[in-house]
Amino acid sequence: MSEGLVKPRTEGTPQGGPLSPLLSNILLTDLDRELERRALSFCRYADDCNIYVCSQMAGGRVMEGIRVFLEKALHLKLNREKSAVARPWVRKFLGYSFTLQRQSRIRIAPASVQRLMQKVREQMRIGRGRSLARTISDLTPLLRGWINYFKLAQTRSTVEALDKWLRHRLRCLLWRQWKRGKTRIQRLRSTASSGTKST
């Protein structure tokens, strides 16, 4: 789309399509071999790649060497805005990051949590006026897909904080739907009495 009009694509591939990662893997196989030849620890998925070294100086040297290799051997340009030499817990890879501890653990990157929270807010805004059961039903596929994707994370605190935030949002939804003070008192009393009976 350009200024609201559909125009034929002359270069690149559609974002999110299966063709882009396939072409990346075909083309960047040579990069994998080059990194292996240099005995570097790395992790690559499509065109997203993290290379792990022991120091900031080594990182700068490797980054410059890889930039030259990409430009001269593969005729590709390194995206300087998205590329950086930094500590593993500062960077993210496919939505994951690392904890700042002696024994590092895999964690969910803060940006990934913020994106999910924004999606939840948007869905709840669209679904204003719906019942609590309908809202939960609409959110379930999003939350299930997200938690399944991040099941490799080794820290529980992020998920626990997210669960607490989500429950708070759902309680706020109920509170708004009850509207009147009298209704709120009756609902809270019935909830408290049913909770007492169940225990």
Side-chain angles (χ1 to χ4, degrees), residues 189-199:
R189 281 178 178 164
S190 65
T191 304
S193 61
S194 62
T196 306
K197 287 174 186 175
S198 63
T199 53

Side-chain angles (χ1 to χ4, degrees), residues 142-166:
L142 170 67
L143 297 171
R144 186 175 288 148
W146 191 88
I147 203 68
N148 281 334
Y149 179 82
F150 287 107
K151 63 185 175 184
L152 297 176
Q154 297 170 313
T155 55
R156 293 179 57 185
S157 57
T158 303
V159 177
E160 286 171 354
L162 193 58
D163 179 65
K164 183 178 177 182
W165 175 82
L166 185 59

Side-chain angles (χ1 to χ4, degrees), residues 30-47:
D30 290 338
L31 173 62
D32 294 346
R33 289 178 182 149
E34 178 66 15
L35 293 171
E36 286 167 359
R37 187 184 68 77
R38 298 184 189 194
L40 292 167
S41 298
F42 70 96
C43 188
R44 183 180 70 78
Y45 180 84
D47 62 346

Side-chain angles (χ1 to χ4, degrees), residues 10-143:
T10 56
E11 61 180 16
T13 58
Q15 191 172 4
L19 187 58
S20 181
L22 175 63
L23 292 175
S24 296
N25 284 333
I26 292 169
L27 190 59
L28 294 177
T29 299
D30 290 338
L31 173 62
D32 294 346
R33 289 178 182 149
E34 178 66 15
L35 293 171
E36 286 167 359
R37 187 184 68 77
R38 298 184 189 194
L40 292 167
S41 298
F42 70 96
C43 188
R44 183 180 70 78
Y45 180 84
D47 62 346
D48 199 355
C49 184
N50 277 13
I51 303 169
Y52 302 100
V53 293
C54 296
S55 68
Q56 185 89 10
M57 188 180 293
R61 191 171 59 248
V62 167
M63 188 167 179
E64 182 58 24
I66 294 304
R67 182 192 66 78
V68 171
F69 174 79
L70 288 172
E71 289 179 359
K72 295 198 172 175
L74 301 180
H75 307 288
L76 296 171
K77 285 184 181 178
L78 186 70
N79 188 331
R80 292 184 178 272
E81 289 180 7
K82 293 184 179 179
S83 304
V85 178
R87 300 285 187 183
W89 50 85
V90 175
R91 303 293 292 169
K92 65 183 178 67
F93 182 68
L94 303 177
Y96 284 95
S97 187
F98 292 97
T99 57
L100 175 55
Q101 294 171 339
R102 188 168 207 163
Q103 186 68 38
S104 287
R105 292 189 295 165
I106 300 170
R107 69 182 176 111
I108 303 168
S112 301
V113 176
Q114 290 301 319
R115 272 198 301 273
L116 175 68
M117 290 170 78
Q118 186 57 36
K119 285 180 182 178
V120 169
R121 286 189 194 101
E122 286 169 8
Q123 282 221 13
M124 292 185 82
R125 200 176 298 123
I126 293 167
R128 273 186 184 163
R130 292 178 186 170
S131 67
L132 180 64
R134 174 72 188 277
T135 302
I136 292 171
S137 176
D138 290 343
L139 288 173
T140 297
L142 170 67
L143 297 171

